[in-house]
Amino acid sequence: MKLSRLKIFALKLALYSGGLLYLAIDLFAWHGPLWGMLYEREQKRAAEKAPTAISVYGDRISTIQFNRRAAELRAISGKEDINALTEQDLITNALLRIRAKYNDTRIPDFIEEAKAETAALLTRAANEDQAEEWLSNHGYTKESFTAKLAAVMREQYYLENLLREHTETSDAEVESMAGQLGEYLVMPEKRQVRHIFFSTLYKNKDAVKAQAEQVLQQLLNHTATFDALAEQHSADARTARHGGDLGTLYAYPPHPLAELPLFGPDAIPADTPTLVHSKWGWHIILAGPIQEPRPLTPEEYKESIRTAISNYKRGAAINSWIEANVNEANKKNRIKTYNE
């Protein structure tokens, strides 16, 4: 069956129109695969055009990457003079990335795990558009963020395998340390803590506080449960899916939220949602009663001592690994820094 010229023209017009419509939706509305590919390419070009800040074995770190990491570390530490720490952090990460890359055949790809983590993180957004905007503001597409997360997981896997033999702790070491600690083997004050976290990083601080106050009011009015609000609003993706559960926090040694009044005379009251501020942002804290100190049983302190010794060895091994690799790279003149 032959088509007339008019029908052929109409068919071509329909195909071209459909293709143009798809491009328009992909690029300007849906932000689909084509948009992601072009956006990622544009981000890569911008980084390539930016001056080099650090080069490690030819692995280039641009000033854009340096400044972004400096801003993150500045927000976390609260310090302004952060350049030396940023340089050390980026060089260490580059060395770890390079070592893990050379051992790729022995390291799982972690793609499925990264996809699951990315999906869980993006559920914190109100909708898909907000999730895309959040990734875009950080210079990622969903695909590139997943790939980045998988790479980090590979690096952690490589490092843990590397350090495993250096962190093994014998029963004799545990008994020796227990004997030295003696009267100090006491369970410190502790309490169960949950939080809903509102990050102020790259955000308007007043707007974030206002959002946190609105969520707190919902709790006080009993219009929603803590679990539901944590899952919906908390920027802490790892705890949000578990109702904001931070587990048991101790008065000593210092925990990640040590600056918050969880212990002491001004401690947050038990079983009362309370809005408090940290250097990372705002937290709605729901804490249980404070349990008083008590002597540890051997079953309790042996495992704690074993973990403490293992963590100490791990820290020492990491520092030795970093020092050895940095020294090797410097001897070969493989680390170069550039002033802007």
Side-chain angles (χ1 to χ4, degrees):
M1 175 181 171
K2 293 185 178 180
L3 296 175
S4 66
R5 289 185 178 181
L6 181 59
K7 288 184 178 179
I8 292 174
F9 174 77
L11 180 60
K12 288 182 177 180
L13 182 62
L15 290 173
Y16 293 151
S17 299
L20 289 173
L21 180 61
Y22 170 79
L23 290 176
I25 293 174
D26 187 295
L27 293 174
F28 301 110
W30 177 34
H31 287 177
L34 182 61
W35 178 88
M37 182 178 67
L38 293 176
Y39 180 84
E40 189 173 352
R41 184 180 299 173
E42 187 61 32
Q43 291 289 310
K44 187 176 181 181
R45 285 176 179 172
E48 287 173 349
K49 290 179 181 178
T52 299
I54 306 171
S55 173
V56 182
Y57 284 99
D59 191 352
R60 179 178 170 276
I61 300 167
S62 72
T63 52
I64 291 177
Q65 294 167 313
F66 184 96
N67 292 335
R68 179 189 297 168
R69 185 56 178 156
E72 291 170 351
L73 293 176
R74 194 175 292 114
I76 292 170
S77 67
K79 299 177 181 178
E80 288 300 319
D81 187 10
I82 208 76
N83 283 357
L85 179 60
T86 304
E87 183 178 301
Q88 179 184 0
D89 179 75
L90 289 171
I91 289 173
T92 300
N93 287 338
L95 286 169
L96 180 56
R97 184 168 59 249
I98 290 166
R99 298 303 185 199
K101 185 176 180 180
Y102 287 149
N103 288 274
D104 268 352
T105 55
R106 291 178 290 168
I107 300 176
D109 61 22
F110 288 102
I111 291 298
E112 294 305 318
E113 292 85 349
K115 285 181 179 178
E117 285 292 330
T118 301
L121 178 64
L122 295 184
T123 58
R124 306 284 75 80
N127 50 53
E128 190 172 337
D129 288 341
Q130 189 182 74
E132 293 284 356
E133 182 181 357
W134 182 85
L135 289 172
S136 175
N137 290 341
H138 290 77
Y140 292 106
T141 63
K142 184 177 180 180
E143 291 73 20
S144 64
F145 182 81
T146 302
K148 175 70 174 178
L149 195 55
V152 171
M153 289 178 175
R154 287 195 296 271
E155 291 161 17
Q156 290 175 340
Y157 178 89
Y158 165 75
L159 189 59
E160 290 303 322
N161 275 346
L162 190 71
L163 299 176
R164 184 170 289 116
E165 63 181 287
H166 301 287
T167 58
E168 293 178 355
T169 304
S170 67
D171 292 339
E173 289 175 300
V174 172
E175 292 293 346
S176 174
M177 180 63 70
Q180 295 176 50
L181 291 174
E183 61 184 284
Y184 299 103
L185 295 174
V186 175
M187 175 74 74
E189 289 181 314
K190 64 178 182 177
R191 65 194 309 192
Q192 296 289 323
V193 180
R194 293 197 287 165
H195 80 155
I196 304 173
F197 175 51
F198 302 85
S199 173
T200 53
L201 184 63
Y202 306 126
K203 296 180 180 178
N204 182 291
K205 292 179 174 56
D206 292 334
V208 172
K209 183 181 179 182
Q211 182 193 10
E213 289 172 339
Q214 289 176 359
V215 174
L216 176 63
Q217 199 58 48
Q218 292 183 63
L219 284 169
L220 297 177
N221 293 339
H222 304 289
T223 58
T225 66
F226 198 96
D227 285 17
L229 291 172
E231 186 172 359
Q232 182 180 355
H233 295 286
S234 182
D236 183 354
R238 292 190 177 277
T239 64
R241 72 187 81 165
H242 304 296
D245 187 17
L246 289 166
T248 302
L249 298 185
Y250 297 84
Y252 184 85
H255 50 80
L257 298 178
E259 63 182 282
L260 301 184
L262 296 175
F263 300 96
D266 299 320
I268 293 169
D271 304 319
T272 304
T274 306
L275 184 63
V276 291
H277 185 260
S278 75
K279 60 188 174 186
W280 295 288
W282 290 91
H283 309 252
I284 297 176
I285 298 291
L286 183 59
I290 297 175
Q291 299 182 33
E292 296 300 318
R294 63 172 177 78
L296 289 168
T297 65
E299 290 74 19
E300 290 173 326
Y301 70 67
K302 283 186 177 180
E303 218 33 61
S304 297
I305 290 175
R306 188 183 303 278
T307 300
I309 295 174
S310 179
N311 287 340
Y312 174 80
K313 288 182 174 182
R314 186 180 189 280
I318 288 175
N319 289 336
S320 296
W321 184 89
I322 292 171
E323 183 179 359
N325 280 270
V326 169
N327 288 341
E328 179 187 357
N330 281 327
K331 285 179 181 179
K332 297 178 178 179
N333 196 27
R334 296 295 188 175
I335 298 178
K336 298 179 181 179
T337 57
Y338 305 85
N339 295 322
E340 292 186 55

